[in-house]
Amino acid sequence: MEFAELIKTPRVDGVVLRRPFLPTVEGTLCLTGHHLILSSRQDNTEELWLLHANIDAIEKRFVGSLGTIIVKCKDLRVIQLDIPGMEECLNIASSIEVLSTLDSVSLMYPLFYRPMFQVIEDGWKSFLPEDAFKDLESMTEEWRLSDVNKDYSVCSSYPPLVAVPKDVDDDTLRKAAAFRHGGRFPVLSYYHKKNGMVMMRSGQPLTGTNGRRCKEDEKLINATLRAGKRGYIIDTRTVSVAQQAKARGGGFESEANYPQWRRIHKAIERSSILQESLIKLVEACNDQSHSMDRWLSKLEASNWQTHVKEILTTACLAAQCIDREGASVLVHGTEGTDSTLQVTSLAQIILDPACRTIQGFQALVEREWLQAGHPFQQRCSQSAYSNSKPRCEAPVFLLFLDCVWQILRQFPCSFQFSQHFLVLLFEHTYASQFGTFMGNSASERSKLNLSQKTVSLWSWVNRPQEVERLSNPLYEANCLVIWPSVAPQSLLLWEGVFLRWKRSSRCLDEAYDEMVHIIQYNKELQNKVNNLRRQLGAGEQED
Amino acid sequence: MEHIRTPKVEQVRLLDRFSNKSASGTLHLTATHLIFVESNADAAQEIWILHHHIGSVEKLSLTTSGCPLVIQCRNFRVVHFVVQRERDCHDIYSSLLRLLRPVSYEELYAFSYNPKQNEQQREEGWQLIDLGAEFERMGVPCDQWQLTDVNRNYKICETYPRDLYVPITASKPIIVGSSKFRSKGRFPVLTYFYQEKKAAVCRCSQPLSGFSARCLEDESMLQAISKANHNSRFVYVMDTRPKLNAMANRAAGKGYENEDNYSNIRFQFVGIENIHVMRTSLQKLLEVVGTRSLSVNDYLLGLESSGWLRHVKAVLDAAIFLTKAVTVEGASVLVHCSDGWDRTAQVCSLGALLMDPYYRTINGFMVLIEKDWISFGHKFADRCDQLDGDPKEVSPVFTQFLECVWQLTEQFPQAFEFNEWLLLQIHEHVHSCQYGNFLANNQRQREELQLKDRTHSLWAFLLSEGQNYLNPAFCHTYAETHPVLEPSTLPCHLKFWRNMYHQFDRSMHPRQSVLKNVLTLKESNRQLEDTIMKLEAVTLSPSHPLSLALLKEAQHQEEVGEEAKKCCSDTERTVEGSSGSERKESYGDLQGTYGAKVEPAVVSLEFGVARMTC
């Protein structure tokens, strides 16, 4: 097999592993096709099993014949390996470099991984569009499921089935698709049961400099409006960015052609800027200099929290239009695969209690990110440490998770899951044994036949023990719309991701366990009281 | 009261400081409070503001809707009223100006506050804390340290307490001589004794050394402190000021210890800024976070330029230095700043908190404040502006101490018996002048005012509702496994204390409180355990005459419990439901007007402190 050629030195003894919060271990380092393994060959000692795909960058250092490799992971952890022997060290380093940057999809670990657990429910089948549509059908008859994209020819980044207004035929959809960036014609993203308003998403309209229009596109989105009602178009770009897009054939909906719609521009940054922001933030977090001023100015310069605030604010605005204004909303940016999805998915977290459950959140990620064509593979092929020039990498999904965490912090009892779930998703988008986040769209995943060849992350997550681990003990179903505060004072740095390797979370974990214990004990006591009372009641009746 | 010209003004509007929300109601002015009662009949919000809490009142220029009145409180509440008629506004304004500037202690609320307690309860309240017993707990007096009566009549140092602990070898002439060589007579005395290593934490003020003066008695005093600890050959002298400040003091005949004159000392500057810098810093911080529609970048830049967190870090770093010297090196440490009642109090008390788990309990924390702050003469009256005094003397030194403690509780969630609410409540009452504890500047003044006979003690009140202040995650065995805390002061681990500085800006708080939830559950666990015990007793002896009654009672309790729960979750819901309208504008860009009806704001159980206590 090909991997063997890439591994010059498969094994080195006497390697010392240093990593955050854990004692130093000495053992044997092994390289396999997909893993870097360190074993001390003693019972009960921690071993390192690191996916090559998780390695973002490495650094080499030499002191005499002792080499040191610093491994920087995509989950932001940094570990150090001290390797005796210069040649071994160089060999290992070059192998890691190659193995961690393999571009060939066919060599990716999920295609080789065989689950060590029993798959109870196949995650690939857990969230089918047909099932989601059944829920919609139970609420409204105004929508239909169209298979106009069944061979991915109308829009390569859309799934085969999309929900569209009932009165609009497939031919209209095809024409509208030709007028939208990437063929992403407006489709249903969310139906607000409370007032029947909807949220749609699409790519930008291709108006170009001469103001091209498309009657079918107008018809399509107007079909979602009630008689005499106006809708809102939320453009995630500033007016000037949207204007500039015209020169490249893009553009925005003009008032003249879309008189029933009011356009609102917001400013969510494009992916290259977000990636730079992540790199700066992580650098600030890893800066060991002890000056407060330096930390705060670096944190400020990273702009990360500004992005969080912008995204949350835009999502709140969309939710507000729907819930408070009673208006339907169309969201788009340029491609409609990044900031658009951040907004539509967060708005649903705010509006729809179902999205705050473990299953519901998976369905949301599946629907609004995976099926909606967010290019995970491109966005997550590098993280914050990589030295290679970024291509399409961007922490778009990580920012979404950060925003969800902010809402979770503000409504700690309204989510069925804890932050562990969000951290887990962050890890698996960057490196995983599961096939869920492979590829860039539904069509790529289907070409690779991932549902047959790989295991779904959801198959793992939905086992009872994992659900238990990810659950929020404080959860109490809350059927209301939850409006987060977006004041800078209310937004926090997500320690669980960005400071995770800076300080052991033991203290916090133990306090958390104590809280869980109090809650469980309460349930036990309640049961006991009920039992006793029943016994007593029975006794009384006998008397 | 003769100062109140208009006791009641109707149709006053209360503006929210961060949104365009407003409420209308009636403003009442009483002898002790300014009260706003919202006129909305269903969920009338009430705001009670104690006059002593008011830091400043400002009358802005007349607008079309009326005359604006902005009130800034010392507990960081900011209220913005609009009074329809200018004359009413002026009356309230001038009454408040007089009321919030009391000229004598007797005018303070504590002297009129009567919580319906009998004399015996009141007296017991004052006996809760016994500093003599506290020194005994530390193991003092012992073979090296003794109680001295030199200050029995406040003759040697009028800002120190009567009872002071000094090394056995420090004779009276040495003490007297040393006190003459120290600013305000504040000679080195014991404040904490680390029994395990027999190391002492002592405190004093700066020496009157100027450029070259020395004092043999003072040198002997330090020698005596050093000798009292056999574990270390030297004693650390921590000057908590920046070196430059200390050097400047030499020109005024003050300064710092010359290592050449004192045998066996190790001198160290730790660089905490003075009260004026701290005052300006917090003012700046409050200005920044009080800005409407603040951007993230302006917020972070403001945090940075205010320097507040940098100062918090400096104080914590000093306490960590002290702790390490004592617990790791086993050395005794003498801490001072200029007068030894601000930075010195911060560093000594935080150091003790890090070293001794007792101070992390509710009782212990009260003792700590009583010892290092109240008895050693932190000038609460001046620093908190209790009487109309010199504005340059006002400084948030104690607030900063509370914040440092809060930063620690965030890092060690299991180590503290108390929660954030205790810190907030103490802060509230340091400024409320409702209890006698923090009145005046030192023990001598307090005795002259006969506070123990004429006012009530805060500690008794806090203990009476102690269950509110419990930290549900507190672990009793944590003290054994972690006797000494080693906090991180990496900048990224220090946070902005929103719940203090935005205490009353509810829209910024999390909508659901984990702490409140878990505390309620814990209380419920206690009740359930009780019920189970009773029920089990009945099950075991069914003939028990009480069985039927108990059964009913138990059922009743259950029902009540459930109702309470329902009710509780309802309020929670209202909070969430209403929040949308509160923030209507803040997401921006949407100009349509939605129903103008303002949904009821909910009076918080956690922070509605003023209401709970008056």
Side-chain angles (χ1 to χ4, degrees), chain B residues 145 189 245 259 264 297 331 361 512 531:
Chain B
W145 293 87
V189 293
N245 300 19
E259 263 184 315
N264 309 327
N297 285 359
T361 64
Q512 296 168 325
T531 312

Side-chain angles (χ1 to χ4, degrees), chain A residues 260-358:
Chain A
Q260 286 166 282
W261 295 84
R262 230 196 98 186
R263 216 175 56 245
I264 303 174
H265 288 273
K266 299 296 286 183
I268 301 181
E269 291 291 355
R270 289 183 55 82
S271 41
S272 56
I273 292 174
L274 300 182
Q275 180 69 6
E276 200 183 314
S277 171
L278 174 69
I279 292 171
K280 282 187 183 165
L281 173 70
V282 171
E283 198 205 309
C285 293
N286 288 344
D287 183 1
Q288 291 291 338
S289 91
H290 290 230
S291 146
M292 180 60 78
D293 291 2
R294 191 170 152 149
W295 157 247
L296 288 172
S297 73
K298 280 187 148 190
L299 186 60
E300 186 265 333
S302 81
N303 276 325
W304 183 265
Q305 297 291 83
T306 302
H307 300 316
V308 169
K309 183 177 153 87
E310 276 304 335
I311 295 165
L312 266 178
T313 307
T314 312
C316 288
L317 182 71
Q320 219 173 29
C321 291
I322 294 171
D323 187 65
R324 304 248 158 193
E325 283 279 82
S328 286
V329 174
L330 169 67
V331 184
H332 69 74
T334 304
E335 293 93 349
T337 52
D338 295 293
S339 57
T340 305
L341 306 182
Q342 290 172 328
V343 173
T344 56
S345 54
L346 282 168
Q348 293 178 54
I349 296 272
I350 294 166
L351 294 170
D352 186 3
C355 294
R356 301 173 215 142
T357 63
I358 295 179

